[in-house]
Amino acid sequence: MKNIPATFRMSPRGGSCAIALACAALLVAPGAPAADDELEAIRAQLSSVCRHKTPTEGRFKKSWLHVRVPDVTLTNRYGKPVELAPLIEDHSTVVQFIFTTCTTICPVLTASVRKVREQLAELDPDLRFVSISIDPEQDTPRRLRNYAKRFGASGRWTFLTGDRHDIMHVLKAFGAYYPGNNKMYHKPYTFLKAGKGSRFERIDGLMGGADFVAEYRRLMQPAIASAKR
Amino acid sequence: MIRRLIFLLAGSIFCVVALAAPDIELGKRLYEQGLTADGKEVTAVTQGDIEFSSSQFSCANCHRRSGYGSSEGGQFVPPITASYLFNKREWHRSYLFDKMFKEEQPASFWAKIRQPRVRPAFTRETLARAIREGVDPNGKPMDPLMPRFRIGKEDMDNLLAYLATLGTQVAPGVDDKVIHIATIVGDGVDPGKRDAMLATIEAFKDWMNLDTRGDLRNPRFSPHYRSDLIKGYRLWDIRVWRLHGDPASWPAQLDAYYREQPVFAVLSGMVQGAWTPIQRFCHQHEVPCLFPITDQPAPRPDYYTFYLTRGLRLEADALAESLKEQLQGGETIVQLHAASGAGQVPAQAFRAALGDQKVSLQDRAFSDEDGLKKQLEALVARKKQPDYLVIWPGRHGGEVVDWLLAHPAIAGEIYLPSSIAAALPEKLPPALEERLYVTWPYEYPGAYHPRAFRVRAWLRSRGLDIPYPRIQFDTYYALTILQYGLAHIVDHFSRDYLIEYIEHEAENALNPGTYPRLSLGPGQRFASRGAYIMRRNSLDRYPLTRASEWIVPDSGD
């Protein structure tokens, strides 16, 4: 049981139905006879549980990690050198690892950034988006440009390729190196960091836009933000 | 009059019926490219709220062209061939064997493929609902990754008509006992290299068939789930298609061979000159063509042919990339090249890759030995030797080496392609050794690759001499990719499915050590993409040592 991720351990559907029924009973009838304080407290708790469930909720796992960004210079989609550490460490950052010929998860990862980037930029003007190719020998700057164009990338969205060994160091620093030494087994990670510092939230799984924004909004909360270093 | 009215009426009915009939080809286009009947991009929503268009994502992205699905990033994408869709879902361990036991996947993936999710067969209505609303025939929501497509009725009819055909055709070249494979050799190739390649293929085929015959004799004996998989076992029949004469006549020769016995795949092979006619043949007959031994791949790869490298174009691009690092401006580069493809192709690539460097690049072409001699004499007679001499000698490598041995100081630096390295003598005059460089799209001599040990041991254990290790190791790579590919597809003998497997798994540990790294991905057709610049060093253990890092040029391919 210990190797099975939380998503599968929770058998969510049956349990959430019961909660939903309870929610319906309590929330749909606000005009019910005056409830005592205890009932009010329960209602308040349930109302927070009974918010609308997003399609991707519970389908990704979250963890924290401190990342020591390697001191490497990568190449952006215009062929210009980019020092990775200042780009990532000095700003709020969303980092994803992709490759341009990937057919299944990278288009969704990239499209998810396109979906939320304006909304998140409004929340946090310091936020940078960084997509790093894990197939650098194939993903030349020209191919990255085409890929970025396909997804309407602009503004503070940096696409990076570079020396294969440098990219491997970056992957290892983020704990994102793919198993089996085969990029086809890479995982759908998104790394989120609100503000400077080294602590990232690692999302393992594909998020919809609503969850993406909610996760980032949560990261910006003072209690979480203060723990980020 | 009445007759005319009847005729018109019949014509109208015919038109209506013809308009209403779904168009399978348009359905295929919608599936593979996401384009509607009127050429517009389909739009959809995935993950609940992420909008996209088909330029970013189409059905074939995930379910792949074969329809047999895929696995990537811990996501299991189920097959959607006609037999899967329009039958009750059943759980077949044999078709999931690789995913269950061989692939490196997270636990969530393994849990998902082991779930005995029962669903009834799709009907046209339930399938249309699944595509539009993401609801399966049980009424349950499908994975949010499955896009909810906005597809109108006509396009949906076309798509459903195509899905009803997907995976239903049996690929030629395989029957219930034998799978036919061809290798292609042309006139004029080095007989020693050709025979080394053919001997490797023959030995591998015998080894495979010995095993397969034994297994087929005891089909119910089932160590390692073998009885589940034995339905996919076939004896290999490898045919050597020999091409003669003018390459313009090769298509007719290949067609004749194919008519006599269609093959499921073309494996390895070597011809003199460009591989283009064979790539075209493979495309026309939709035959996978796996890793020919060629330094002249077709200028543009296509879906069916996989190459090890871009050959001479890669060497030219890597050389240009390397020189660009050191050019100051004002230098003279003389490019001496054969007028054949082996000379012209890299010469043009080099000129293009050098771009607008402020240098004097002078091309000198020759078409025969006399022409080469004249060009070299003219070079020697120059008052000022060029800073760089780049030679693409075609078939005249031996003569070039002889001339360089006699006139070592013909230029400041001299660059030769990898094909000439074997023609260089063990000892070079110091004046030549210090200025001679070789482009090298291979692993450097002496690099450590554990699998090279295994490949060499296998060749030895078969009693084979190894006079051309790289050719034999590369051939072995093609053979093992095919072996594992066929094991993966079990009895789903779809050529597209085989190609998808190769794209997916080429990066696994099958590299026989001839390249630093071999890897592919969806749509990728060159397994190795870089080159070294090497120099001769008679004091080193190996005659060629690295003079550069691994150079990966930003090619136009």
Side-chain angles (χ1 to χ4, degrees):
Chain A
M1 197 61 185
K2 67 180 176 185
N3 287 329
I4 299 177
T7 343
F8 287 85
R9 268 184 262 136
M10 286 194 287
S11 172
R13 300 244 157 80
S16 60
C17 281
I19 293 172
L21 285 173
C23 290
L26 286 164
L27 297 175
V28 173
D36 57 30
D37 292 348
E38 195 178 345
L39 189 57
E40 277 303 316
I42 292 170
R43 182 177 288 165
Q45 276 191 339
L46 281 176
S47 109
S48 68
V49 173
C50 291
R51 67 190 166 77
H52 176 64
K53 189 176 189 296
T54 61
T56 55
E57 190 173 315
R59 288 183 171 268
F60 50 86
K61 289 179 284 179
K62 298 183 279 188
S63 54
W64 294 100
L65 82 161
H66 286 273
V67 177
R68 187 170 189 173
V69 182
D71 187 14
V72 295
T73 301
L74 302 181
T75 307
N76 71 12
R77 64 187 192 267
Y78 306 108
K80 304 284 185 222
V82 174
E83 284 182 47
L84 189 65
L87 175 70
I88 288 181
E89 285 170 355
D90 296 350
H91 303 281
S92 301
T93 324
V94 171
V95 179
Q96 290 182 336
F97 293 98
I98 50 107
F99 61 101
T100 63
T101 58
C102 167
T103 50
T104 304
I105 62 171
C106 306
V108 179
L109 282 170
T110 310
S112 71
V113 169
R114 187 204 53 197
K115 164 83 181 170
V116 302
R117 72 168 194 268
E118 284 178 13
Q119 211 175 337
L120 293 191
E122 275 179 25
L123 285 175
D124 183 353
D126 181 50
L127 185 60
R128 305 287 193 269
F129 301 94
V130 181
S131 298
I132 302 175
S133 169
I134 59 167
D135 191 12
E137 292 196 350
Q138 170 74 12
D139 289 341
T140 56
R142 185 180 55 81
R143 289 199 177 94
L144 277 186
R145 274 201 303 280
N146 292 341
Y147 183 79
K149 190 174 169 192
R150 214 171 110 201
F151 287 92
S154 60
R156 293 174 179 164
W157 193 350
T158 307
F159 287 77
L160 296 173
T161 182
D163 179 85
R164 200 172 72 83
H165 299 289
D166 288 344
I167 300 262
M168 295 305 121
H169 286 147
V170 178
L171 277 166
K172 284 184 175 164
F174 277 87
Y177 190 77
Y178 37 80
N181 200 28
N182 184 348
K183 65 179 174 294
M184 301 305 288
Y185 301 139
H186 72 135
K187 291 188 175 175
Y189 289 140
T190 298
F191 296 86
L192 307 174
K193 176 167 73 76
K196 292 185 180 182
S198 66
R199 198 169 90 132
F200 276 87
E201 183 178 47
R202 184 175 77 175
I203 307 288
D204 179 2
L206 297 167
M207 289 184 290
D211 283 322
F212 202 139
V213 173
E215 281 305 319
Y216 195 78
R217 204 186 280 277
R218 201 174 59 79
L219 274 189
M220 294 179 71
Q221 286 171 11
I224 294 176
S226 65
K228 69 182 173 233
R229 292 180 185 84
Chain B
M1 183 66 185
I2 291 172
R3 196 180 289 172
R4 188 186 287 175
L5 276 174
I6 291 170
F7 181 75
L8 280 172
L9 189 65
S12 311
I13 291 169
F14 175 79
C15 286
V16 168
V17 170
L19 280 174
D23 186 323
I24 292 175
E25 278 307 308
L26 286 175
K28 183 178 187 210
R29 190 174 75 161
L30 178 52
Y31 178 83
E32 291 180 357
Q33 300 170 38
L35 295 176
T36 62
D38 51 6
K40 288 183 181 149
E41 285 190 12
V42 166
T43 59
V45 174
T46 182
Q47 300 292 105
D49 58 4
I50 297 175
E51 299 261 347
F52 66 87
S53 67
S54 54
S55 65
Q56 294 151 355
F57 214 47
S58 67
C59 308
N61 259 53
C62 295
H63 295 288
R64 310 309 316 276
R65 197 160 132 147
S66 70
Y68 283 106
S70 64
S71 53
E72 194 202 310
Q75 303 289 324
F76 170 64
V77 181
I80 54 163
T81 56
S83 67
Y84 276 97
L85 287 176
F86 300 111
N87 286 299
K88 191 177 124 185
R89 176 184 279 150
E90 287 175 5
W91 193 85
H92 294 283
R93 185 170 60 187
S94 55
Y95 299 128
L96 294 170
F97 188 83
D98 269 18
K99 292 178 171 52
M100 290 167 72
F101 301 112
K102 292 185 183 169
E103 295 187 358
E104 296 262 1
Q105 300 289 2
S108 57
F109 177 95
W110 288 334
K112 187 167 184 181
I113 63 169
R114 283 175 167 82
Q115 283 173 5
R117 288 158 299 149
V118 178
R119 64 146 173 78
F122 278 100
T123 63
R124 286 175 53 81
E125 290 69 30
T126 56
L127 186 53
R129 192 177 175 212
I131 294 167
R132 287 193 180 112
E133 298 170 34
V135 176
D136 78 6
N138 289 321
K140 289 188 174 171
M142 299 165 92
D143 192 300
L145 181 59
M146 167 69 192
R148 279 55 170 167
F149 288 96
R150 300 187 186 103
I151 297 181
K153 182 181 181 311
E154 184 194 345
D155 289 311
M156 182 62 81
D157 288 346
N158 293 341
L159 181 59
L160 297 186
Y162 176 63
L163 290 175
T165 69
L166 192 55
T168 55
Q169 291 174 343
V170 177
V174 61
D175 58 34
D176 58 352
K177 290 195 172 58
V178 176
I179 185 159
H180 303 278
I181 298 151
T183 189
I184 295 171
V185 292
D187 278 347
V189 295
D190 184 314
K193 293 177 180 172
R194 177 198 63 204
D195 293 346
M197 177 193 80
L198 291 178
T200 305
I201 293 173
E202 187 70 14
F204 196 91
K205 179 203 78 177
D206 290 345
W207 178 70
M208 283 286 298
N209 284 349
L210 194 66
D211 236 22
T212 306
R213 278 199 189 91
D215 292 345
L216 290 171
R217 271 198 293 272
N218 300 294
R220 292 190 182 171
F221 180 56
S222 190
H224 313 298
Y225 309 102
R226 200 185 73 197
S227 63
D228 279 15
L229 303 166
I230 206 153
K231 59 193 168 192
Y233 284 26
R234 297 292 184 276
L235 294 169
W236 284 23
D237 165 45
I238 298 197
R239 290 161 181 251
V240 181
W241 290 354
R242 295 179 193 272
L243 300 177
H244 307 288
D246 185 355
S249 70
W250 291 358
Q253 294 179 45
L254 289 165
D255 282 341
Y257 281 125
Y258 191 76
R259 268 197 307 277
E260 184 190 322
Q261 176 57 63
V263 295
F264 188 75
V266 168
L267 177 99
S268 197
M270 59 173 75
V271 297
Q272 196 188 344
W275 195 257
T276 313
I278 299 161
Q279 177 177 302
R280 213 171 282 143
F281 160 81
C282 289
H283 182 82
Q284 186 189 343
H285 293 279
E286 302 184 340
V287 179
C289 177
L290 312 181
F291 305 107
I293 312 287
T294 179
D295 59 7
Q296 293 181 64
R300 292 272 161 210
D302 70 10
Y303 179 75
Y304 287 97
T305 301
F306 289 100
Y307 294 101
L308 289 158
T309 75
R310 289 193 299 117
L312 285 164
R313 283 189 191 84
L314 169 63
E315 294 190 41
D317 286 347
L319 175 57
E321 202 75 17
S322 167
L323 287 184
K324 279 197 270 189
E325 296 282 312
Q326 52 180 298
L327 292 173
Q328 306 283 323
E331 292 93 339
T332 303
I333 304 175
V334 171
Q335 189 173 214
L336 185 59
H337 67 86
S340 63
Q344 273 186 341
V345 166
Q348 284 168 4
F350 179 75
R351 177 172 280 280
L354 212 52
D356 56 356
Q357 298 289 312
K358 307 284 182 237
V359 294
S360 166
L361 175 58
Q362 302 163 14
D363 279 4
R364 302 280 184 266
F366 60 88
S367 50
D368 54 21
E369 200 176 330
D370 281 346
L372 170 64
K373 197 177 160 196
K374 279 181 193 152
Q375 294 289 0
L376 288 166
E377 281 170 351
L379 265 175
V380 172
R382 282 169 79 117
K383 282 183 187 166
K384 184 176 182 297
Q385 62 174 210
D387 298 294
Y388 302 97
L389 172 62
V390 178
I391 307 179
W392 309 107
R395 305 201 73 193
H396 299 281
E399 292 96 305
V400 166
V401 169
D402 289 345
W403 190 272
L404 292 177
L405 290 170
H407 303 89
I410 200 169
E413 290 181 3
I414 301 167
Y415 289 88
L416 300 175
S418 60
S419 57
I420 217 170
L424 292 167
E426 200 171 314
K427 292 229 165 180
L428 293 180
L432 182 58
E433 185 166 290
E434 71 187 19
R435 67 190 70 211
L436 185 69
Y437 296 88
V438 175
T439 50
W440 193 253
Y442 309 112
E443 181 58 285
Y444 64 87
Y448 173 70
H449 280 267
R451 188 160 168 81
F453 172 82
R454 180 180 164 78
V455 177
R456 192 176 293 277
W458 183 88
L459 290 166
R460 289 252 159 81
S461 73
R462 299 292 101 198
L464 292 173
D465 288 334
I466 314 177
Y468 297 98
R470 189 166 58 248
I471 287 174
Q472 290 170 277
F473 282 35
D474 286 351
T475 304
Y476 186 87
Y477 175 72
L479 286 158
T480 45
I481 281 269
L482 180 62
Q483 176 198 3
Y484 289 116
L486 292 175
H488 172 82
I489 67 179
V490 194
D491 62 346
H492 290 148
F493 287 103
S494 152
R495 290 158 164 178
D496 285 346
Y497 194 22
L498 175 68
I499 284 173
E500 289 154 14
Y501 172 83
I502 292 170
E503 290 175 341
H504 199 281
E505 296 297 313
E507 196 166 333
N508 271 342
L510 292 176
N511 180 2
T514 41
Y515 301 86
R517 187 163 164 268
L518 291 170
S519 89
L520 291 167
Q524 297 184 27
R525 290 297 175 266
F526 297 107
S528 179
R529 299 178 197 90
Y532 292 111
I533 307 295
M534 309 289 282
R535 66 179 309 159
R536 284 292 301 257
N537 184 351
S538 53
L539 297 177
D540 200 85
R541 181 178 167 195
Y542 300 100
L544 285 172
T545 53
R546 284 172 291 172
S548 77
E549 295 294 312
W550 182 246
I551 301 166
V552 182
D554 188 352
S555 73
D557 294 316

